[in-house]
């Protein structure tokens, strides 16, 4: 019998979330962002659910090959572009669109021998200060690209640093508008947070939106808003079962370091899930858990293979009772991955991507 832990990918939830993002930007086309192996969900697992997008956006050339191998003939965008000159050969062979964010990538294109000109997205550093040409150098980069016979069409993109927060996107939209004024080409600006929080600003959305985390059932601005507020559904459930039950007396401790001390008699359940499964070690006592669909709490430290939960709210629970670490329980109760991430001081992105290879995955 396999160890009782399982991750389930919810195909209908992925379809729902993609449709929700399209409804947030009805006049724009949608990139389904599948970088990091579809945020830990698996490209091959999510493909059927996300093929309703207008294109796939990712980082890795091998992932682009996988998307093509699945039968996708539409646009694929490399969000960070080529990493070395020979990458352009694969871009030609696979008909990949790619980002240009530095002079070196323009140099590579100028030296690239191809019979089929490339479609590129010229990236502006509008304030994120990560990738892209500064506003002062942007038009010179465009002029270089526009003069190359290797380039067929130039589109424009930027990335927002504060779409999920109080600072917002207005300052970066102004920088983008000024840098691209009167230049021909499609625009791509909005990530998940911008598309949802600034849905009324069609100008800021541009021609393409790039939703990532929202498609995978995580709220881009948690805890200000949760997935229910945005009409999103969890796309991954991590579930386990109770391996053992312990009866504690006042003063008894739980786990390494004795960080939890019982103040009264209580029952705890030991579950088959630990940090070697991708569950965050930094989650402490009080982190929410669903036992038999009932909300309770983690107690003590997460260890490599096991964790402990308080069974007071579920007195009927015992050996073999199902436990939901995040996602949707059998009774329909949802425990958003964002809550677990917040307890660990991180984001839902990291938990999805950190799911360990030893955890079996099935598609629902």
């Amino acid at each position: 019998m396999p160890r009782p832990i399982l991750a389930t990918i919810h195909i209908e939830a992925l379809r729902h979330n993609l449709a929700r993002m399209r409804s947030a930007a009805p006049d724009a086309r949608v990139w389904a962002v599948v970088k990091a192996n579809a945020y830990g969900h698996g490209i091959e697992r999510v493909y059927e659910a996300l093929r309703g997008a207008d294109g796939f956006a990712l980082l890795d050339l091998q992932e682009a090959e996988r998307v093509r191998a699945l039968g996708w003939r539409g646009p694929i965008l490399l969000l960070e572009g080529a990493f070395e000159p020979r990458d352009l050969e694969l871009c030609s062979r696979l008909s990949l669109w790619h980002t240009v964010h530095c002079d070196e990538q323009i140099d590579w294109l100028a030296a690239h021998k191809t019979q089929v000109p490339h479609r590129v997205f010229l990236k502006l550093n509008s304030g994120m200060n990560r990738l892209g040409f500064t506003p002062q150098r942007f038009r010179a980069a465009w002029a270089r690209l526009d003069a190359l016979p290797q380039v067929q069409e130039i589109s424009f993109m930027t990335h927002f640093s504060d779409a999920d927060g109080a600072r917002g996107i207005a300052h970066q939209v102004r920088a983008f508008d000024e840098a691209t004024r009167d230049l021909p080409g499609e625009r791509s600006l909005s990530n998940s947070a911008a598309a949802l929080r600034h849905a009324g600003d069609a100008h800021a959305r541009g021609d393409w939106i790039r939703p990532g985390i929202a498609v995978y059932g995580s709220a881009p601005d948690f805890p200000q808003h949760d997935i229910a507020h945005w009409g999103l559904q969890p796309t991954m459930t991590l579930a386990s079962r109770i391996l053992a039950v312990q009866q504690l007396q006042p003063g008894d401790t739980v786990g390494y370091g004795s960080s939890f001390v019982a103040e009264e008699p209580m029952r705890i359940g030991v579950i088959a899930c630990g940090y070697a499964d991708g569950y965050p070690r930094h989650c402490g006592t009080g982190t929410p858990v669903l036992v038999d669909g009932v909300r309770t709490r983690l107690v003590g430290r997460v260890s490599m293979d096991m964790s402990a939960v308080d069974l007071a709210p579920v007195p009927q629970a015992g050996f073999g009772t199902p436990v939901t670490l995040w996602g949707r329980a059998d009774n329909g109760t949802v425990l958003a991955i964002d809550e677990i991430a917040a307890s660990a001081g991180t984001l839902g992105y990291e938990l999805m991507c950190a799911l360990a290879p030893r955890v079996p995955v099935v598609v629902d």
Side-chain angles (χ1 to χ4, degrees), residues 11-361:
I11 295 301
E12 288 305 317
L14 284 159
R15 288 196 180 100
H16 169 89
N17 294 344
L18 180 65
R20 172 67 184 92
M21 296 310 299
R22 192 181 288 282
S23 73
D27 299 325
R29 280 172 285 176
V30 180
W31 293 109
V33 180
V34 293
K35 63 181 181 177
N37 197 24
Y39 287 54
H41 289 62
I43 287 174
E44 287 77 12
R45 299 186 191 107
V46 307
Y47 174 71
E48 285 299 324
L50 300 185
R51 64 186 303 179
D54 299 290
F56 287 88
L58 39 73
L59 302 185
D60 190 281
L61 281 165
Q62 290 183 335
E63 291 185 337
E65 289 182 301
R66 289 162 60 189
V67 174
R68 285 285 186 238
L70 289 166
W72 179 255
R73 296 294 174 259
I76 297 177
L77 174 63
L78 296 178
L79 290 166
E80 293 180 6
F83 296 103
E84 58 182 357
R86 65 178 180 178
D87 290 350
L88 295 175
E89 298 173 10
L90 196 58
C91 288
S92 293
R93 182 162 63 84
L94 296 179
S95 299
L96 305 181
W97 302 4
H98 51 99
T99 299
V100 173
H101 62 77
C102 62
D103 288 313
E104 289 80 1
Q105 291 175 326
I106 301 179
D107 294 339
W108 298 342
L109 272 166
H112 178 54
K113 293 180 172 57
T114 180
Q115 295 181 352
V116 181
H118 289 228
R119 171 79 177 265
V120 301
F121 272 70
L122 181 62
K123 187 160 191 175
L124 174 72
N125 174 10
S126 60
M128 182 82 168
N129 288 312
R130 201 168 61 176
L131 297 180
F133 292 91
T134 62
Q136 296 77 16
R137 299 188 59 243
F138 189 79
R139 285 184 173 257
W142 176 84
R144 284 192 67 197
L145 283 173
D146 190 51
L148 294 180
Q150 294 90 340
V151 175
Q152 178 184 45
E153 187 173 347
I154 305 171
S155 300
F156 306 104
M157 68 187 301
T158 195
H159 192 64
F160 294 130
S161 58
D162 293 274
D164 57 345
R167 191 181 185 195
I169 64 174
H171 63 293
Q172 289 185 263
V173 172
R174 285 194 298 271
F176 185 84
D177 284 348
E178 181 62 29
T180 62
R181 191 180 312 279
D182 301 325
L183 295 180
E186 294 183 333
R187 273 77 167 152
S188 178
L189 292 88
S190 289
N191 55 9
S192 291
L196 290 171
R197 290 171 60 92
H198 303 275
D201 190 347
H203 175 63
R205 288 198 300 267
D207 302 288
W208 291 84
I209 63 170
R210 307 187 306 273
I213 194 61
V215 173
Y216 300 97
S218 176
D221 58 352
F222 186 86
Q224 183 176 357
H225 298 110
D226 60 14
I227 58 173
H229 174 87
W230 292 122
L232 303 171
Q233 297 177 5
T235 60
M236 178 191 289
T237 294
L238 180 62
S240 183
R241 291 186 178 274
I242 293 177
L243 296 176
V245 175
Q246 301 292 343
Q247 183 72 47
L248 305 186
Q249 299 302 319
D252 285 348
T253 63
V254 176
Y256 288 117
S258 300
S259 61
F260 178 80
V261 181
E263 297 180 354
E264 58 187 2
M266 63 182 296
R267 293 173 74 237
I268 64 167
V270 179
I271 60 175
C273 182
Y275 59 77
D277 301 301
Y279 192 83
R281 183 179 180 274
H282 298 295
C283 285
T285 296
T287 300
V289 183
L290 301 179
V291 175
D292 208 14
V294 177
R295 192 179 180 98
T296 183
R297 59 174 180 150
L298 206 69
V299 292
R301 289 184 185 171
V302 175
S303 58
M304 180 180 287
D305 309 305
M306 290 173 282
S307 305
V309 293
D310 183 358
L311 297 182
V314 272
Q316 77 279 9
F319 181 88
T321 297
V323 177
T324 304
L325 286 309
W326 65 68
R328 188 183 300 275
D330 290 341
N331 67 353
T333 302
V334 170
L335 176 57
I337 196 171
D338 299 314
E339 290 195 64
I340 316 308
S343 292
T346 186
L347 301 170
Y349 304 65
E350 183 177 0
L351 271 60
M352 295 174 188
C353 295
L355 185 71
R358 77 176 189 176
V359 177
V361 182

